[in-house]
Amino acid sequence: VTGASFVVFNGALKTSSGFLAKSSIVEDGLMVQITQETMESLRQALRDKKDFKITCGKADAGDVKEYVDICWVENEEKTNKG
């Protein structure tokens, strides 16, 4: 689990790169590089207020995967107030 001050979603990752998605820490935030197709799915999930999971890593890496989960919560009091 990584806490971040901000998240950047970059939809310019090419399918030919061999990655499903890439995540990296940038200053005190998180940058997630995703394909254009994943970006469209993410945008729709945000519009619909649905949870969304992005699987990061090489497409052929086997079981070792990293995930970026976008979750909607009911109780805002438990979230970061900053």
Side-chain angles (χ1 to χ4, degrees):
V1 175
T2 301
S5 295
F6 64 91
V7 178
V8 175
F9 294 101
N10 178 342
L13 185 68
K14 303 290 182 204
T15 310
S16 60
S17 71
F19 284 91
L20 299 168
K22 293 164 85 175
S23 65
S24 55
I25 295 182
V26 179
E27 295 182 19
D28 60 343
L30 179 69
M31 181 171 68
V32 185
Q33 296 175 314
I34 55 179
T35 62
Q36 188 174 357
E37 295 80 18
T38 304
M39 179 65 88
E40 287 301 319
S41 298
L42 171 60
R43 291 177 71 195
Q44 188 60 51
L46 292 172
R47 280 188 218 106
D48 297 341
K49 295 185 177 179
K50 301 280 184 186
D51 293 351
F52 194 78
K53 182 179 223 170
I54 299 171
T55 304
C56 299
K58 284 273 201 185
D60 59 0
D63 291 341
V64 180
K65 298 274 188 260
E66 214 175 82
Y67 300 97
V68 175
D69 289 320
I70 295 105
C71 304
W72 292 89
V73 295
E74 293 292 326
N75 186 352
E76 293 184 20
E77 292 176 16
K78 292 182 181 178
T79 60
N80 184 359
K81 296 205 182 228

